[in-house]
Amino acid sequence: MRSKLYINGAWVDGTSTAPVYDPSDGSVIAEVALAGEAECEAAITAAHNALPEWSKTSPRFRSEILRKAYEMIIAESDAIATLVSRENGKVFADAKGEVTYAAEFFRWFAEEAVRVPGDFRKSPSGDKRILVTHQPIGVSLLITPWNFPAAMATRKIGPALAAGCTVILKPAGETPLTAMAIVDVLERAGVPKGVVNLILPSPVGPMISKMLHDPRVKNLSFTGSTEVGRVLLREASDCVIRCSMELGGNAPFIVFEDSDVTSAVQAVMAAKMRNGGAACTAANRIYVQRQIAEKFTAEFTKAMSALVMGPGMSTGVNLGASVSLKERNKIAELVDTAVKDGAKVSIGGKTPEGPGAYYPATVLTCEKNNEILKHEIFGPVAPVVVFDTDDEAIALANDTEYGLISYVFSGDLQRAIRTAEALEAGMVAINRGVISDPAAPFGGVKQSGLGREGGFDGIHEFLETKYIGVEI
Ligand code: NAP
């Protein structure tokens, strides 16, 4: 297991170390190296020095390294998923699903590396030719969260390397081991030294701020909370660094009265409970039309009560621990406030005794103005709200600063598409609980972010467009 920093092609110690915990029992899994100023500076220098050669390699060369890394991750997926489950707390099946999803970003961007389009045409007045090409932005700082420690890293590293950028990855403090395993794969797949670097700066805020004021850093790709995203946008503005921001969400899930209730419950279970509810895409506000509300809530409560909570690596368990006691306590606090605000608990709602960062599957029924609906929950808690008209459902769904993803369930596709078009979200799922796909553009509107990852757009987050006007 890797536990050091990776700078200029070498695994190195830092200035100090920090423990990584298994949240299912609080035990220490590893001590990881932390980067001080010298290591952060060395990572920038390494990425900067490696850039000229790497950016000139052929797209096919970069593509084949990514393809090899994809195959290695698939071959080693059990070991990597074990690491994900242990440091994150999620169940092994979710971890395995994440690792496959993570590998797919390398496969997708191995294919995209060789397909970057350009343009050559006559200007409207006929006075010149318009040549449009794309060039790598340069040294990119990639900051990732703890909830998908493998996929959030590959979703950034894949397009960056495909585009010809060099990178410095800063994974979340709770889950650095998975990121180290991914970088280890890339090293073995043949990534030249200096092209990929990994640091864990301490203290994180001041160190990242310093890096964002180094003129050699040209691009920031961040996935995490809206709160930290706002801070980083301010930091990046001093040097006008290009930013891609994948931030928080507070997804509504609308279930219309013409839905097949059993299928709707299955989709809500997937949308709410993937990753134990710790997903930016998690359904956090479940709006159900009055005619089917009672039946839906009864079936949904039954499905939630069938979940078995326990250590992520244990067989038969389908709800693991949260990443830390701090995160678990945030979930408990939100539920307590919701109950004080009038929410009724159908199941769950009580913090278990004993070790481990557990919180049970919880269904709440509440009024449309309950405090919990204003917050990203990031845990296995599902507030259900009854609505009457389509317009009311759309207004409730859009009543948030977030705009990452929305879900619509209906037996009438026209009604579902009409609703999807009215929803303020970067992504809408119709009659499905999960739509994330490396081949599709992932991202939000409003305060859920800027830019898109994956799909055809993903590589362009790491490319500058250059226009060359040619006299002919
Ligand atoms: P977070 O607290 O914002 O942290 C994300 C990353 O930022 C971590 O690596 C963290 O490092 C780092 N960080 C924290 N403060 C910083 C600062 N002042 N300067 C620079 N970096 C800083 O988010 P999280 O709790 O890890 O993740 C959950 C959030 O991520 C949720 O809001 C979720 O919706 C969002 N998310 C969004 C997407 C998306 O695609 N839109 C995907 C996944 C998650 P430390 O860990 O060392 O503090």
Side-chain angles (χ1 to χ4, degrees), residues 143-148 152 155-156 170-175 200-201 204-209 212 222-229 231-232 235 245-250 278-281 323 327 330 376 378 402 404 427 442-444 448-449 453:
I143 304 180
T144 54
W146 52 262
N147 65 332
F148 287 100
M152 296 303 96
R155 198 166 79 174
K156 296 183 188 307
K170 186 273 179 249
E174 290 95 337
T175 55
L200 281 170
V204 63
M207 292 288 178
I208 294 290
S209 169
L212 291 173
F222 172 75
T223 298
S225 61
T226 297
E227 193 187 349
V228 174
V231 171
L232 292 175
E235 294 284 355
M245 293 274 149
E246 296 289 345
L247 308 178
N250 188 2
C280 53
T281 51
V323 74
E327 285 298 321
K330 276 197 220 164
E376 187 178 27
F378 241 59
Y402 296 106
L404 188 61
M427 302 175 283
F442 188 106
S448 283
E453 290 189 327

Side-chain angles (χ1 to χ4, degrees), residues 259-263 265 288-302:
S259 301
D260 172 61
V261 170
T262 306
S263 311
V265 166
V288 186
Q289 205 152 14
R290 190 170 304 277
Q291 296 89 322
I292 57 163
E294 207 173 306
K295 186 169 185 317
F296 174 90
T297 309
E299 277 196 34
F300 181 42
T301 302
K302 195 168 158 215

